[in-house]
């Protein structure tokens, strides 16, 4: 049963283009996250958003930016994609810190 | 440098056998561990969490934690082919973020 929704499922684009991915959760959770999962399946946190407070992993390039309209939505924008951005981007939510995180199905990005 | 190390990278067990997966953090501030399971082509789903020393059992799954060594292990008894998946260990240290290990790929052979 999916409660964290992501669109699109797949996206293929060229270097330098801008892309946006959407995420919505219907669990009533207060915190949402974006993760990047690379080809070796390593999962890395990119952003956390809680009560309009954004926390950024300092290793994330500036071309990535999260966008939130309310606590149920957290979108991800990549301003000028690069080949190393090819990965699966996973959105997640949790009731609070230290609580179980529920993941969406992911968006697979391929940068040509 | 990765702060959460998992071993082995891959594991093959026969159906009905016991699978044992390990995870260690190098961050002395870690105080909470999770185990997530990710089937091929799917998203991770939480299996179990542990923050106290000792053992926690849920059905066929048992998790151990040794806080002094920052080591946790996941044991799956009576393994089933449906248990074949990537098992991810994650740790938190009072901050906002989970640090994931690179996972153990478990294959249960019928």
């Amino acid at each position: 049963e999916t409660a964290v929704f992501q669109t699109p499922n797949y996206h293929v684009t060229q270097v330098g283009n801008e892309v946006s991915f959407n995420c919505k959760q219907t669990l009533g959770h207060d915190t949402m996250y974006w993760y990047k999962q690379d080809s070796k399946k390593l999962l890395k946190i990119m952003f956390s958003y809680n009560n309009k407070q954004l926390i950024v992993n300092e290793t994330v390039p500036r071309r990535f930016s999260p966008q939130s309209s309310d606590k149920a939505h957290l979108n991800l924008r990549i301003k000028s994609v690069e080949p190393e951005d090819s990965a699966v981007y996973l959105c997640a939510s949790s009731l609070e810190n230290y609580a179980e995180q529920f993941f969406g199905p992911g968006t697979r990005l391929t940068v040509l | 440098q990765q702060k959460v190390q998992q071993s082995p990278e891959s594991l093959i067990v026969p159906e009905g056998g016991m699978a044992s997966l390990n995870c260690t953090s190098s961050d002395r501030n870690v105080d909470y561990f999770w185990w997530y399971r990710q089937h091929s082509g799917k998203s991770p789903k939480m299996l179990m969490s542990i923050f106290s020393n000792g053992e926690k059992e849920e059905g066929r799954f048992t998790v151990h934690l040794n806080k002094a060594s920052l080591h946790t292990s996941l044991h799956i008894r009576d393994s089933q082919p449906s248990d074949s998946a990537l098992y991810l260990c994650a740790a938190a240290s009072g901050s906002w973020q989970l640090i994931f290990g690179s996972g153990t790929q478990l294959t249960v052979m019928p």
Side-chain angles (χ1 to χ4, degrees), chain A residues 71-87:
Chain A
K71 75 173 190 177
H73 296 83
L74 185 66
N75 301 330
L76 179 67
R77 185 178 79 156
I78 313 174
K79 240 182 176 178
S80 176
V81 296
E82 298 188 5
E84 60 264 31
D85 298 337
S86 294

Side-chain angles (χ1 to χ4, degrees), chain A residues 61-73:
Chain A
R62 287 178 169 258
R63 60 182 180 278
F64 289 84
S65 60
Q67 297 166 321
S68 177
S69 55
D70 55 58
K71 75 173 190 177
H73 296 83

Side-chain angles (χ1 to χ4, degrees), chain B residues 16-85:
Chain B
M18 171 77 86
S20 295
L21 292 67
N22 299 294
C23 173
T24 303
S25 173
S26 57
D27 183 349
R28 300 300 312 178
N29 295 314
V30 162
D31 55 4
Y32 217 115
F33 286 91
W34 285 262
W35 286 92
Y36 281 77
R37 181 166 71 178
Q38 186 175 20
H39 284 105
S40 180
K42 303 291 186 183
S43 56
K45 284 187 169 50
M46 195 196 79
L47 268 179
M48 295 179 74
S49 62
I50 190 164
F51 63 91
S52 298
N53 263 331
E55 176 181 302
K56 185 175 172 182
E57 182 177 333
E58 291 181 6
R60 297 184 294 109
F61 299 86
T62 302
V63 173
H64 293 267
L65 175 61
N66 181 325
K67 294 190 88 168
S69 60
L70 294 175
H71 176 83
T72 179
S73 56
L74 172 69
H75 305 272
I76 309 172
R77 62 176 171 81
D78 189 24
S79 297
Q80 301 298 307
S82 58
D83 294 328
S84 297

Side-chain angles (χ1 to χ4, degrees), chain A residues 1-111:
Chain A
E1 183 184 347
T2 305
V4 181
F5 303 90
Q6 291 187 240
T7 57
N9 294 328
Y10 304 92
H11 190 80
V12 181
T13 190
Q14 294 190 329
V15 171
N17 285 350
E18 177 175 318
V19 299
S20 285
F21 303 146
N22 301 311
C23 179
K24 169 187 169 182
Q25 54 96 2
T26 58
L27 296 165
H29 287 168
D30 289 326
T31 306
M32 295 184 72
Y33 312 84
W34 275 103
Y35 287 87
K36 178 181 180 182
Q37 189 168 38
D38 63 22
S39 57
K40 294 183 179 179
K41 301 296 184 183
L42 187 59
L43 202 56
K44 283 188 179 173
I45 183 76
M46 300 177 73
F47 305 101
S48 166
Y49 199 81
N50 176 300
N51 290 327
K52 298 188 180 180
Q53 182 191 14
L54 173 67
I55 305 177
V56 180
N57 184 332
E58 63 272 9
T59 66
V60 174
R62 287 178 169 258
R63 60 182 180 278
F64 289 84
S65 60
Q67 297 166 321
S68 177
S69 55
D70 55 58
K71 75 173 190 177
H73 296 83
L74 185 66
N75 301 330
L76 179 67
R77 185 178 79 156
I78 313 174
K79 240 182 176 178
S80 176
V81 296
E82 298 188 5
E84 60 264 31
D85 298 337
S86 294
V88 175
Y89 291 86
L90 289 159
C91 176
S93 72
S94 67
L95 191 58
E96 57 190 6
N97 278 346
Y98 284 77
E100 177 183 358
Q101 293 189 14
F102 292 81
F103 286 83
T107 294
R108 181 177 293 277
L109 172 66
T110 301
V111 180

